[in-house]
Amino acid sequence: VPLAMLLVAPTVAQLAAMMFDGAQQLSSLMLVPVRLGTGTPIFLVHGVSGSVMDCWALIDALQCSRPVYGLQARGLDGELPAQCRVEDMAASYIEQIRSVQPVGPYAIAGYSFGGLVAFEIAQQLLRCGERIEFLCLLDTYVDQRYLAWGTWLRLRYDSFVREWHRLQKLPASHRPVYLMRKLAGTADRMRHPSNRPAGTMSPTLLHVREKMWKAMATYRPRPYEAGLILYVRAAIEQMGLGDPMPLWRRVARGGLVIAEVPGNHNDMIIEPNVQAVAGALDRVLASL
């Protein structure tokens, strides 16, 4: 069953009907009509998993009447190769977006890694002469190389201090084993640069996730001139990634509106914290 089908047919009866009527059409869709509505659509970009299903609770919690389309990564079906550059993802998603909405203004949002893609979609549309009505980044981090030097050095120093304290607490005879395990873990993360151990994911999903991490590592946000950016920030910062806000403040030449919500990067999009996230989006959308 194509993953996209579960988004548009969430009940057993709907799923059975869709398997007869629309399975072939949905099998390779990157653009999924998640919620019907009226007005200018909201296009929501997936996180590092490649699937917009991560944001299902958020879509359900939105009070605005607009339709919502989810953008999913190429390669989730295991048939097409996953993309490994944010710029390429944005270009292919724009083709999908224009099949629904040929001209602007556009409303675009992205969760986590998807915020980078949403940002690049907005940049490419601007270069084509289109107008961006709404751009929202949901707790979107950047590669550490693009952080301010002070932030990067603090991350390295904090990491060193934590490891030094852990090492000092161990008996001397245990320290060589501990160091070997740390080196092995580092090597494994280099081979599988995702948040989850390789053994817990299917090869297809692992491949997509690794492409997302590689895309994040090579993408550098450029100045954005089109207007305000809404940045929804989890109150609990992601350990080891560094504060991205100085970079986003520099990039957002038209201004940055920051809405802090309860929870961490993962539980901000599930109950009960997702209500605060949806509320932040609804307030800005209602003011447009």
Side-chain angles (χ1 to χ4, degrees):
V1 176
L3 189 62
M5 195 183 292
L6 299 176
L7 291 165
V8 296
T11 70
V12 171
Q14 291 171 334
L15 188 60
M18 187 67 75
M19 289 175 73
F20 282 103
D21 299 334
Q24 295 303 313
Q25 290 76 13
L26 278 174
S27 62
S28 60
L29 274 186
M30 289 189 289
L31 185 69
V32 184
V34 185
R35 194 185 76 171
L36 300 176
T38 58
T40 304
I42 301 170
F43 297 97
L44 180 61
V45 185
H46 58 81
V48 75
S49 71
S51 170
V52 77
M53 289 185 74
D54 293 345
C55 295
W56 203 338
L58 172 59
I59 295 166
D60 189 55
L62 288 172
Q63 296 298 308
C64 72
S65 61
R66 297 185 183 213
V68 180
Y69 289 84
L71 286 156
Q72 303 208 122
R74 194 178 74 179
L76 285 179
D77 55 9
E79 297 175 7
L80 296 173
Q83 295 169 302
C84 59
R85 294 179 71 249
V86 168
E87 294 86 349
D88 295 339
M89 294 177 199
S92 60
Y93 295 170
I94 286 172
E95 290 183 15
Q96 300 291 321
I97 289 170
R98 281 183 155 161
S99 70
V100 172
Q101 185 185 347
V103 296
Y106 291 99
I108 311 161
Y111 167 61
S112 185
F113 166 79
L116 295 180
V117 184
F119 181 84
E120 178 61 22
I121 288 172
Q123 295 281 48
Q124 292 188 20
L125 286 171
L126 285 170
R127 290 197 292 271
C128 294
E130 297 290 356
R131 188 163 70 89
I132 306 302
E133 175 193 30
F134 172 76
L135 176 60
C136 175
L137 312 180
L138 298 165
D139 212 42
T140 297
Y141 285 79
V142 295
D143 189 85
Q144 292 182 14
R145 290 173 297 176
Y146 305 130
L147 299 175
W149 269 105
T151 302
W152 186 88
L153 289 172
R154 180 178 60 80
L155 281 173
R156 303 278 65 77
Y157 175 77
D158 290 347
S159 177
F160 173 80
V161 170
R162 284 195 302 271
E163 290 302 327
W164 178 258
H165 286 318
R166 288 171 187 161
L167 193 64
Q168 293 303 306
K169 292 177 182 178
L170 293 174
S173 60
H174 292 185
R175 291 173 189 173
V177 175
Y178 175 81
L179 290 172
M180 290 299 296
R181 287 177 177 171
K182 293 296 294 185
L183 289 171
T186 300
D188 185 63
R189 284 192 296 275
M190 291 176 68
R191 289 192 301 270
H192 306 289
S194 62
N195 282 342
R196 295 170 59 183
T200 65
M201 304 180 70
S202 73
T204 298
L205 295 182
L206 178 61
H207 175 70
V208 170
R209 180 179 282 247
E210 288 183 338
K211 293 295 185 182
M212 301 296 153
W213 280 97
K214 289 178 181 177
M216 177 180 176
T218 58
Y219 182 69
R220 183 170 187 173
R222 303 295 179 182
Y224 179 77
E225 310 281 355
L228 289 172
I229 298 175
L230 172 63
Y231 190 98
V232 182
R233 183 181 190 183
I236 303 172
E237 189 175 293
Q238 279 280 79
M239 181 68 73
L241 288 182
D243 184 5
M245 301 316 301
L247 180 140
W248 288 121
R249 289 189 180 97
R250 291 197 307 272
V251 164
R253 299 288 175 83
L256 187 69
V257 176
I258 301 172
E260 187 169 291
V261 297
N264 60 33
H265 184 75
N266 295 316
D267 64 24
M268 67 180 282
I269 55 169
I270 61 175
E271 294 289 354
N273 301 327
V274 71
Q275 297 298 327
V277 178
L281 270 68
D282 280 325
R283 285 190 293 273
V284 173
L285 288 167
S287 68
L288 297 176

